[in-house]
Amino acid sequence: MLRIHFTGNDLAGVRTAARPDVLWETILSFHRLRDRRGPVVYGEWRSEVRTRLGGETRLLAALIPSRGYFPDFLTPAEGLHGLDEGLQAIRATDPGRLRGELSLLAADRSGGRTVPHSLRALADGGAEPFDRLVGALRGYHRAVVEPYWPHVRARVEADRARRGRALLDGGADELLASLPPTLRWRAPVLEADYPVDRDVHLDGRGLLLQPSYFCRGTPVVLRDPALPPVLVYPVTHGEAPTVRAPGGSSLAKLVGQTRSAVLHAIGDGGTTSELARRAGVSMASASQHAGVLREAGLIATLRHGNAVLHTLTPLGAALLGGARQKKVDLRCYARNGPVTS
């Protein structure tokens, strides 16, 4: 069981990440690549990416075991800003911290066996081992995550919009209560299923909620309590605003295939650029279809600075809800094995 303890200041400091974190997605995708669970969501992806992989997986496998602890330095906060920034932060890891985290990894995985040479070389320092690690992470990311990044980003944005709506409706309490079922808000403690018994005290630092496409089942937190608190949790996989409605659906027949996709993409709200990414259309097309949906009374549009925010009206929500009731739910409810950091 994981228990995250909040104070009043922590509740005021809860926030949802503005975008997917490239390094969390990269590291967690390595877990998804090696397990067989979640075939509906990850099965086709696994088949596609395995043909592109080379020797980079050998070094990553030494650092990222199939379950249990993996070092915190692999997921620095800079990963939220992009791959280059994240890799630079990894390269700049303090040597003392690096040796400490690698020692934890070795103790957790070796059980007295010999520590892999790749880990010993990294712990000894020097530019060459870091060059190999950064090269392996970059090559793996380009083969496995980068081609799917628009889809990953769209799913995370949709989840963020859902949490934002909960925050507006009921504040931090409603936001925390809206998280996936594996997380349970029992004020002032957020509980989660976890492979070990652990208490995290935020102590006024707040909490960053990081929705993740490749996180599955069990949420993930950093092991080092001195690092800024972050909770990585899985987005909901199933019928989502990022997926175009099937061509034979009643909603698509009524309003047209592309317009149906834009209406699905609005979900709990989004800007025109977010709708375009989620629906897989151009900005101009998203804007045009949003205008038609607005004139029909299905969405409302509010200007915020240089952007506009589109939300469903009650009529639009009712129309979308009626279409969803007729579709087969293909969500995969299989439970994830333990993954901690």
Side-chain angles (χ1 to χ4, degrees), residues 239-267 275 278-281 285-286 288-290 292-293 298-299 312 316 319-324 327:
E239 186 185 10
T242 57
V243 181
R244 290 175 181 262
S249 74
S250 57
L251 182 58
K253 291 177 181 177
L254 177 64
V255 301
Q257 182 74 21
T258 303
R259 201 160 293 154
S260 170
V262 172
L263 188 62
H264 276 80
I266 290 174
L275 303 192
R278 296 173 192 173
V281 299
S285 178
Q288 177 187 3
H289 289 296
V292 174
L293 294 170
L298 300 178
I299 70 170
L312 294 172
L319 179 63
L320 194 58
R324 284 175 173 167
K327 295 179 184 177

Side-chain angles (χ1 to χ4, degrees), residues 44-301:
E44 184 176 351
W45 165 80
R46 287 188 191 107
S47 298
E48 291 176 356
V49 302
R50 280 172 176 155
T51 62
R52 306 188 196 123
L53 289 171
E56 60 270 328
T57 59
R58 287 193 293 273
L59 176 57
L60 296 184
L63 278 170
I64 311 168
S66 57
R67 59 180 60 199
Y69 172 75
F70 59 85
D72 291 336
F73 78 83
L74 292 174
T75 53
E78 289 82 357
L80 196 58
H81 305 297
L83 183 63
D84 289 336
E85 292 85 349
L87 293 179
Q88 287 174 11
I90 289 177
R91 191 184 289 275
T93 302
D94 175 77
R97 176 187 171 186
L98 178 69
R99 287 191 294 271
E101 293 187 6
L102 290 177
S103 295
L104 284 174
L105 175 64
D108 189 64
R109 67 176 294 161
S110 66
R113 296 190 299 271
T114 303
V115 177
H117 172 73
S118 56
L119 294 189
R120 295 201 305 274
L122 194 60
D124 290 340
E128 185 177 349
F130 262 114
D131 287 342
R132 288 198 299 271
L133 172 60
V134 168
L137 284 168
R138 188 183 297 277
Y140 174 84
H141 172 82
R142 285 178 173 171
V144 172
V145 179
E146 189 176 83
Y148 307 90
W149 193 249
H151 183 70
V152 170
R153 183 173 58 184
R155 292 290 181 120
V156 170
E157 285 179 354
D159 185 275
R160 184 174 188 268
R162 187 175 299 114
R163 307 307 158 207
R165 175 60 60 87
L167 181 65
L168 289 173
D169 288 345
D173 273 309
E174 185 68 22
L175 167 61
L176 294 171
S178 76
L179 293 171
T182 54
L183 292 149
R184 299 170 293 280
W185 174 235
R186 294 169 179 163
V189 179
L190 182 65
E191 297 179 350
D193 300 328
Y194 213 62
V196 296
D197 196 50
R198 183 172 176 196
D199 288 272
V200 175
H201 294 272
L202 300 177
D203 296 328
R205 295 174 295 169
L207 179 67
L208 176 65
L209 299 173
Q210 179 65 65
S212 168
Y213 183 86
F214 286 107
C215 182
R216 183 177 174 276
T218 306
V220 188
V221 296
L222 297 170
R223 181 161 177 170
D224 187 348
L227 293 172
V230 57
L231 176 68
V232 182
Y233 67 90
V235 300
T236 299
H237 293 295
E239 186 185 10
T242 57
V243 181
R244 290 175 181 262
S249 74
S250 57
L251 182 58
K253 291 177 181 177
L254 177 64
V255 301
Q257 182 74 21
T258 303
R259 201 160 293 154
S260 170
V262 172
L263 188 62
H264 276 80
I266 290 174
D268 290 315
T271 64
T272 303
S273 60
E274 288 171 343
L275 303 192
R277 285 197 296 269
R278 296 173 192 173
V281 299
S282 68
M283 280 277 289
S285 178
S287 179
Q288 177 187 3
H289 289 296
V292 174
L293 294 170
R294 183 171 55 252
E295 291 174 4
L298 300 178
I299 70 170
T301 300

